Amino acid sequence: MTHVSFKSKEADSMSRWSKYLSTEESPPSASVSWRTMGVDGPQGSASGQKHLQMEPVVQLSKVAEGLLAKMYRLNSILDYPDPNAHTFSEAFWKAGVMPNFPKICIILSKKFPEHPNRLQLEKVDKFALDALNENAEGYMQNLEQWIMLLLDLLEFREQALRLILDLSSTVITLLPHQNSLILHAFMDLFCSFVRVNLFSDKIPRKMIVQVYNILHIMLKGGRDCEFYHRLVQFVDLYDPPVKGLHEDLNFVSPRIGEVLEAVGPIIFLSTDTKKLRNEGFLSPFHPRYPDILTNSAHPMRAQDLANVTSYREWVLLGYLVCPDELLRVTSIDVAMVVLKENLVLSLFRDEYILLHENYQLHVLPKVLESKRMAKSGRTKQKEADLEYNVAKQVEKMLIEVHEQALVSADALHHERRILLKQEIGRMVLFFTDQPSLLAPNIQMVFSALALAQSIKGYALSYLSSCGGRIRFLLGTPGMVALDLDATLKGLFQQVLHCLENIPKPQGENVPAITCDLTDLRKHWLSILMIVTSSRSSVNIRHLEKATVSTGKEGLVSEGNAAYNWSRCVDELEGQLSKHGSLKKLYFYHQHLTTVFRNTMFGPEGRPQHCCAWLGAACCFPECASSIIPEEVNKIGRDSISYVESLIESIMGGLEGLINILDSEGGFGSLEMQYMRDCIIGNFRRRFHSMIRTDNCLQRPSVIESLLRRHLSIIHLAEQHISMDLTEGIREVLLAESFTGPFPNLQVFETPVETHGGGSAIDIISNWYIENFVKDASRTGVVFDATQNCFRSSQPIGGGYLAEAFTDKRELKALVRLFGGYGIDRLDKLLREHTSALLNCIDSALRSNRDALEGLAGSVSSGDRIERDANLKQIIDIETLADFCIQAGQAITFRRLLVEAVGAVLEEKVPLIYSLLKGLAMQLPDEVPDKNEITRLRRVASSVGVGDKHDAEWVHSILAEIGSANDNSWTLLPYLCAAFMVSNMWSTAVYDVNTGGFSNNLHCLARCVSAVVGGSEYTRMEREQRRSSLSNGHMDELQEPELLSRVSAEANIKSAMQLYVKLSAGLVLDSWNDTSRPHIVPKLIFLDQLCELSPYLPRSTLEVHIPYTILRSIYHQLYGATLMASEPMEPSPRQSPLISLSHASPSMKQNRADTTPRSHTFEPGYHSSSGSQYDEAYEGDRRAGERQLRSMRRSGPLDYTGSRKVKFVEGSSSASHGTGSLQRFAVSRSGPLSYK
C-alpha cells in the first residue's frame, strides 16, 4: 500500500485541490483555469508590479465547502462524537474508521500531544495492542482518507491564511459602498476559513493523528510518519479552534473591524421593521405618496438588504475570532443587535455551535484582559480611560445579551416574518398585475425573493447603454491625464468589447436571447484587483476623482453596476438561488412534513396551497457535495421520499373527501348514512391500493405508515361532519383480516360466517408463502441466520429485496396491521403447505421401508457394502430433499412470525404475554395432553414461548392429518441421514456473511430437528392411547402408567443422536479425492444442526468428528484475521462460529431436567455401546476442561492446534474403521481444503 506522503503533496500548492474543484462548474468570475493562478498574478505593468488575482480567492472558498462536506460526512459516519468530552457511542467504534479498541484510542486522545511511545500502552490493554499490531495494515487503510482530510485542513489553513493576509494588506478599501465585489469575495473566504476550523473541532482529530501514527510506527519499524509533527502542531494550535483563530487572524483584525462597522447601518435597518414598512424599502410604491409608483425607492439599500444575511454572519464570526474589534465605540451596538436575535451559530448545513456559550468562553476573557490593561494605564493617558469604559460596556453587554436573546429572539423573528408576509404578498400582487415594472425593481425583488422573466430584457438594455457611458468616461480629460498603463487600457477595452457586443432586445424575442457574460465579469474583477491594490500607480480613488466631475456616476460605480446587471442576464437562476434558495430545508425535511400537515389540516390551513410545498424539494439536491458520491444518491432518495409522502397526503386526504363533500347540494342534501358509506368505501379502496405496488407487495411498515396517515384524515373529517366513522373503519380492518375464529381460543358449536372476508390478508399471506417458502419468483431467497431474516439476490417483483419484508421490524408491522386473526390465517396457510410436504415424507417412509430397514440392519452390523447398497435403493431422494428444505423454510419463516407476534404482545400487552409465558412453564408433562392443555400449549407456541415450538407446531400438524401413525416413522433418522449421499451437496456453498448455505441447506437442519421431534411426540401419544384402550379390559382399579414429556424428549434425543452418528459415519466413510470439497458443507451442516436443535447437546458431534476438523474449516472460511478480531459472544446461538466454551461438552450440560444423561436408544433404534460412548465423552470432557483453563479468549474458536481430542479405541466415532479418521488426523495444515 502506498501510504500518505506529505512531501509529494507540497510540490504544487494548488494542484492538491483538484479533487475539490474538478467536479464543480467553473465559477462565473473565473473562466481562466485556477491551476495557472497563484497568489501573484501576471505582471500588471511594464514596471514589473504584481497584483493579486481573484481566482484563488473564489477557488479556496469552493475548497472550504468541500472540506466542510467531508467533515460533515465523517461526523455522521462516526455517529456525532464529542471529542472534547471523549464521549463516543457504540456506533462510533463499529463504523470501521477507528479500531474497535476504546481503551487505547481514548487514552491516545486524552494524552495528546504526548507521543504514543511514551504512554506505555501495553499496560493499558495488552490484548488490544497486539491485535492492533497484527492488523495494522487494514486499520491504516481505513484511516487513510481521513488522515488525508487532516492534511488538507492543514494545507488549507496555510494557503487561505496567506491569501487573507495579502488581501488585507494590499487592498486599499474594503467598504461595501466603495468596493463591494472584492469585499464579498474577501469576506466569503474569511468566513469559510473560520467555519472550516470551527467545524474541525467536531471530528476526533487527536485520535486520528495518534492512532495513524502508532500504526505507521508498527509498520515502519518505529519511525513516525513524515507529517506527524506538523499535524500535531496544527491540531494543538487549534485546540480549541477559536484559540488558533485568534492568533492567526490577529493581523487582519483591524480590517475586519472596519468592515463590520461599515455594514452596521444595514443591519440596523434590517431590524427596524417599522422603518422598512413606512419608508417602502420592499415596496414598488413611493414611500410618502402611495398613489405614485416609483422605479426604485431605495435601489442601493435594497441591494444591501439582499446581503443582510451575509452581513449578520460576518458580525457573528468576525467578533468571535477578532474580539479586540468589539472595543470600537460603534461595535457594541452592532454586535448586540445580532447577538440578541441569535442563539446558535450555523457552521454547515444543520451543524452549529452554541453562540453565546462560545462568546462567554472565548471573547469575554479577551475583553476582561483589555479591561485590566486599560485600568492599569488610566492614570497615564486619557485614551486608556476611554478604552476602560468601552471594555466595561462590552463586558456588560456580553453578560446580559444571552438572557436577552432567550427572551426576545423569538419575538424579533416573528415580527420579521409578519413583515415579509405582508410585503411579499403586496409585491406579488403588484408585479402580477404590472410585470413590466419588475425589471427596474429587481434589487428589491432579490431582497424579497421574487422572480420574473421580464428582468432579462431590462438587464440587456441597461448593459447596452452602460457600454456607451463607460466609453465616454474613459475619454474624459481626467482619465486621459492619468496615463493608464497598457494592462489597464487593454482590460478596459475588453470590457467595452463585451458590453458593445451584447445582443439588442427587439420586440417579444427577449426571453430567447442568450449570451455569456463571464468574460465581462472576469475582466472587470481583474481591473478591480489592480486599482484596489496599494502596489498600483493608479488606484480606485484616482479613477473616481477623474470621472465623478462629469456629473454622472463614476467609472468604478458604472463598472460595478454593469457587473451586477450582467449576472441578471446569464446567471439569473444562480442569483435567485443565492438570495432565495430553500435548499437548507432539506436537513429539516422531517419537520417540514409536520408543518405541512398543520398547514393542510390545521384550523387556518389552506389545502389549495399545499402543492407549493412540493417546490421545496426541487432545491434539495443542491445540498449534495459532488465529492461524496453516496451523498448525491441519498439526498436524491430523500427528496423523492419527501415528495411522495406529500403527494400521498394530498391525494389520499382530498381524493375521496372533496369529491364526496363538494357536491352540488352540499352537506344538507346528503343522507348521513350515504355519506358514511361513501367514506368507508373510499377507505376500503385506499387500503387495498396501499397493499400492492405495480409488481410487488408494499412493505408492511409502509402500509402501516400510509394507513395511519389516512386514518388521521378520516378522524379529521369525523370531527367536521359530526359523524362516527371509527366503528366503520374498525369493521373494514376486521373484515380484511378475519377468515375464521382462532382454532385454539375460540370454539363455536356452529361454523362462523366470514362473508368472504380476509381478502387483504389472503393476498399478503399467499405472496409471502410463494416468495419466501417456495421462492416461486426465483430471486435466490436464502435465510440469513446472522440477521435472522430472509435475503434475496434480486429484488422481488422489481420492488425490494427479501430482507425488506422479513426482518423483525417489518414482521412486527404486519402483526400490528392484521392482528391475531390475520396472523392466524398466515399460519393456517403455512400449515397447509407444510402438511402436504409432511405427507410426502410419510409416503417416502412407506415406499422405502424395506430399504430403510436394511440400512438400519447394516449400520448395526457394520456392513458398509450392504449399507451402500440399501442407500442406492432409496427412491426419489433428490425430490424428497428439496421438499424437506422447503419444509425447513416454512418452519423458519413461521418461527420469525411467532417471534414478531411475541415481541408485539410483550410491547403492547405485557401482562398477557407474561401470563402465557408463566403458564407454559406450569403445564403438566403427561402424554397425551388433555384437550384443554393441548390448546394452551399451542397458544403459547404461537407467540414464541419456549424453545421447542417448532416441534410443537409439526406435532400439531401431524396430529391433524393423521400421519406418523405406524412404525415406519421410527425409520425417519435413517431416511434423513440418506440425504448425505444426495447430489444437493455439490451445489452447496457456505456463506460466512449469512451463516448459511446458498441452497438453504441450513433450513434442512431445522426441518430435521422439528420433524423428528414432532413425529416422536405424535407416535408416543398414539401408543399411549392404544395402551389406555387395551388396559380398559383389565381391572378397573389398575391405573395405566402415564408417560411424561421427559420420556418423549429422551426418545427424541436418542433419535437425533442416531441421525448425527449415522450422518457423520456416511460423511467420513465416503471420503475420497473427488468428494473431498463436498465434505465441508456436510460437516458444517451437522455442526449447525447440533447448534440449533434443542434436543442435542453441543458435544454430540464431537463424539464422532474431532473439533480440530471444524476449527480448520472455520479458519479457512472466516480467516485468521477476522477470527482474531471477533468479540466473544455470550452464546453459540449468536453465530455459526461456536466458542470453545460451548464446543466443549464440559461447558454444555444436558438441557435442564428434560433430557436424561443416558445414551441408550429405544427399541427400533440402533446404537453403539453406551460404556464406550461415556468413556470417550468423559475423556474429552476432561481434555476440554484443561484446555478451557489455559485458552486465550481471542475468538470464536481456538485455532492454535494445541487442543487435541482424545478418542478411546472402540468408541462410536472409531467404529467406522481407522482409515478415514487417520487421514484427517495426519494433516498439519488443515484436514480439508475448501475451494
Side-chain angles (χ1 to χ4, degrees), residues 149-179:
L149 175 60
L150 293 184
L151 289 173
D152 289 344
L153 290 173
L154 169 61
E155 185 65 19
F156 173 78
R157 176 241 177 183
E158 295 176 354
Q159 292 191 29
L161 186 60
R162 187 183 308 121
L163 192 53
I164 290 171
L165 295 177
D166 285 346
L167 284 170
S168 174
S169 60
T170 59
V171 175
I172 296 174
T173 178
L174 283 173
L175 299 181
H177 60 282
Q178 294 179 351
N179 195 16

Side-chain angles (χ1 to χ4, degrees), residues 337-356:
V337 165
V338 182
L339 287 171
K340 191 165 62 174
E341 62 183 27
N342 290 280
L343 296 174
V344 298
L345 178 57
S346 177
L347 296 181
F348 184 65
R349 298 178 177 174
D350 56 341
E351 290 286 350
Y352 60 88
I353 60 174
L354 297 177
L355 177 64
H356 295 279

Side-chain angles (χ1 to χ4, degrees), residues 281-355:
F281 282 90
L282 298 178
S283 173
F285 298 95
H286 195 283
R288 284 178 286 277
Y289 305 100
D291 297 333
I292 301 176
L293 297 177
T294 177
N295 283 344
S296 185
H298 301 274
M300 293 305 296
R301 286 297 175 88
Q303 181 178 342
D304 286 333
L305 285 173
N307 297 317
V308 74
T309 302
S310 298
Y311 295 164
R312 288 193 178 97
E313 182 187 44
W314 296 357
V315 170
L316 294 176
L317 292 174
Y319 288 134
L320 177 63
V321 298
C322 301
D324 291 342
E325 302 313 307
L326 272 173
L327 299 177
R328 295 171 180 256
V329 177
T330 57
S331 296
I332 302 176
D333 294 333
V334 177
M336 184 175 67
V337 165
V338 182
L339 287 171
K340 191 165 62 174
E341 62 183 27
N342 290 280
L343 296 174
V344 298
L345 178 57
S346 177
L347 296 181
F348 184 65
R349 298 178 177 174
D350 56 341
E351 290 286 350
Y352 60 88
I353 60 174
L354 297 177
L355 177 64

Side-chain angles (χ1 to χ4, degrees), residues 231-446:
L231 277 180
V232 167
Q233 184 180 5
F234 167 59
V235 174
D236 189 48
L237 175 64
Y238 276 77
D239 182 28
V242 179
K243 182 191 75 172
L245 290 169
H246 283 172
E247 184 176 337
D248 282 347
L249 298 174
N250 183 57
F251 181 76
V252 302
S253 182
R255 298 303 299 268
I256 299 298
E258 293 174 5
V259 171
L260 301 185
E261 273 189 325
V263 300
I266 302 301
I267 294 176
F268 295 147
L269 175 62
S270 70
T271 59
D272 191 347
T273 54
K274 184 177 180 180
K275 185 175 183 180
L276 289 174
R277 183 183 291 110
N278 293 342
E279 298 193 15
F281 282 90
L282 298 178
S283 173
F285 298 95
H286 195 283
R288 284 178 286 277
Y289 305 100
D291 297 333
I292 301 176
L293 297 177
T294 177
N295 283 344
S296 185
H298 301 274
M300 293 305 296
R301 286 297 175 88
Q303 181 178 342
D304 286 333
L305 285 173
N307 297 317
V308 74
T309 302
S310 298
Y311 295 164
R312 288 193 178 97
E313 182 187 44
W314 296 357
V315 170
L316 294 176
L317 292 174
Y319 288 134
L320 177 63
V321 298
C322 301
D324 291 342
E325 302 313 307
L326 272 173
L327 299 177
R328 295 171 180 256
V329 177
T330 57
S331 296
I332 302 176
D333 294 333
V334 177
M336 184 175 67
V337 165
V338 182
L339 287 171
K340 191 165 62 174
E341 62 183 27
N342 290 280
L343 296 174
V344 298
L345 178 57
S346 177
L347 296 181
F348 184 65
R349 298 178 177 174
D350 56 341
E351 290 286 350
Y352 60 88
I353 60 174
L354 297 177
L355 177 64
H356 295 279
E357 285 77 355
N358 276 275
Y359 265 77
Q360 297 282 341
L361 188 62
H362 301 294
V363 177
L364 186 58
K366 293 284 187 180
V367 174
L368 294 176
E369 182 182 353
S370 298
K371 177 183 171 184
R372 286 193 298 269
M373 293 179 62
K375 185 177 182 179
S376 63
R378 289 175 68 184
T379 58
K380 299 179 182 178
Q381 50 185 350
K382 295 181 180 180
E383 292 80 1
D385 188 60
L386 176 62
E387 185 179 348
Y388 174 80
N389 291 330
V390 172
K392 191 173 181 180
Q393 294 177 31
V394 174
E395 177 191 4
K396 181 181 179 183
M397 183 269 293
L398 291 176
I399 293 174
E400 296 177 353
V401 74
H402 188 193
E403 189 67 29
Q404 294 175 4
L406 292 173
V407 175
S408 62
D410 186 65
L412 291 172
H413 287 282
H414 182 260
E415 185 178 3
R416 195 171 300 155
R417 287 195 298 271
I418 293 175
L419 170 69
L420 287 175
K421 180 179 179 181
Q422 295 172 345
E423 295 301 320
I424 290 176
R426 294 176 60 193
M427 190 179 294
V428 170
L429 291 175
F430 175 77
F431 287 128
T432 301
D433 186 55
Q434 301 287 337
S436 61
L437 295 179
L438 176 62
N441 295 280
I442 189 58
Q443 298 298 339
M444 181 194 304
V445 175
F446 282 159

Side-chain angles (χ1 to χ4, degrees), residues 133-199:
N133 199 358
E134 184 179 352
N135 302 282
E137 185 77 17
Y139 292 132
M140 199 167 185
Q141 287 179 351
N142 294 339
L143 280 175
E144 189 81 25
Q145 62 172 317
W146 306 119
I147 202 72
M148 282 294 300
L149 175 60
L150 293 184
L151 289 173
D152 289 344
L153 290 173
L154 169 61
E155 185 65 19
F156 173 78
R157 176 241 177 183
E158 295 176 354
Q159 292 191 29
L161 186 60
R162 187 183 308 121
L163 192 53
I164 290 171
L165 295 177
D166 285 346
L167 284 170
S168 174
S169 60
T170 59
V171 175
I172 296 174
T173 178
L174 283 173
L175 299 181
H177 60 282
Q178 294 179 351
N179 195 16
S180 61
L181 301 181
I182 303 300
L183 168 64
H184 278 269
F186 171 75
M187 290 304 295
D188 283 348
L189 179 58
F190 172 82
C191 292
S192 297
F193 177 76
V194 175
R195 285 199 306 269
V196 165
N197 286 288
L198 290 177
F199 199 127

Side-chain angles (χ1 to χ4, degrees), residues 769 773-774 828-837 886 890:
I769 291 174
V773 178
K774 299 180 181 179
K828 182 179 180 181
L829 293 177
L830 283 171
R831 294 170 71 91
E832 292 175 357
H833 180 68
T834 307
S835 66
L837 298 173
Q886 197 172 125

Side-chain angles (χ1 to χ4, degrees), residues 1084-1097:
I1084 294 176
F1085 169 82
L1086 291 175
D1087 184 57
Q1088 288 185 333
L1089 174 70
C1090 295
E1091 179 188 6
L1092 64 87
S1093 176
Y1095 306 105
L1096 287 175

